[in-house]
Amino acid sequence: MNSSWLTILLRFIRFGIVGASGMVVDFGVTWLCKEKLHWNKYISNSLGFILAATNNYVWNRLWTFQSTSDAVAREYTLFFIIALIGLGLNNGIIYLLHERLHLNFYLSKLIAIGCVTIWNFVMNYVFTFRA
């Protein structure tokens, strides 16, 4: 395997590990807001997603991509814009699977996270942290 492909693979694995920590934040906040605070499921989902994205930015900057750029505001802004587009994709997938196909809300959310992970990695690899 070419060393550049190995580097990409290792970063994707790290991105996945960071994403798993973000998933804990995402699911925890979503569950708390939806089930305990009785907020709208899409508002709850959005808040969980936004807090997870912030968590993920910090860990991806430090560990996955080991960025030393002084342009933290630029990186965070790009990361967050990509996450917001991902949020739209996330909510769209949940809507399709849960509202239209009647899958369980949390199963729909899990599938959406898997799809959006690929989007987030590619966009952040190419634009935010420019390898």
Side-chain angles (χ1 to χ4, degrees):
M1 181 180 278
N2 185 320
S3 67
S4 63
W5 283 106
L6 183 58
T7 300
I8 293 169
L9 177 62
L10 290 173
R11 284 185 176 166
F12 184 75
I13 290 168
R14 286 182 177 190
F15 192 84
I17 292 168
V18 169
S21 76
M23 193 167 69
V24 170
V25 171
D26 191 349
F27 269 78
V29 170
T30 300
W31 177 85
L32 176 69
C33 293
K34 180 181 178 290
E35 304 299 337
K36 296 300 180 187
L37 299 177
H38 306 289
W39 291 3
N40 174 279
K41 59 188 160 194
Y42 294 105
I43 291 172
S44 300
N45 181 58
S46 297
L47 182 59
F49 194 88
I50 289 167
L51 292 177
T54 301
N55 170 79
N56 290 356
Y57 167 73
V58 170
W59 288 110
N60 279 310
R61 175 181 164 77
L62 296 174
W63 187 51
T64 304
F65 296 100
Q66 300 172 348
S67 175
T68 58
S69 171
D70 292 334
V72 174
R74 177 195 137 319
E75 276 185 358
Y76 182 74
T77 300
L78 284 172
F79 193 92
F80 201 78
I81 288 169
I82 290 166
L84 285 175
I85 294 168
L87 173 60
L89 294 169
N90 184 283
N91 278 329
I93 293 166
I94 289 171
Y95 176 80
L96 175 68
L97 296 177
H98 179 63
E99 300 292 339
R100 296 293 178 200
L101 299 178
H102 307 292
L103 289 180
N104 174 275
F105 176 77
Y106 291 105
L107 176 59
S108 299
K109 183 171 176 59
L110 185 63
I111 292 167
I113 288 170
C115 295
V116 173
T117 296
I118 294 167
W119 156 265
N120 284 340
F121 177 76
V122 170
M123 293 297 107
N124 282 300
Y125 183 82
V126 172
F127 296 109
T128 306
F129 297 107
R130 293 189 187 136

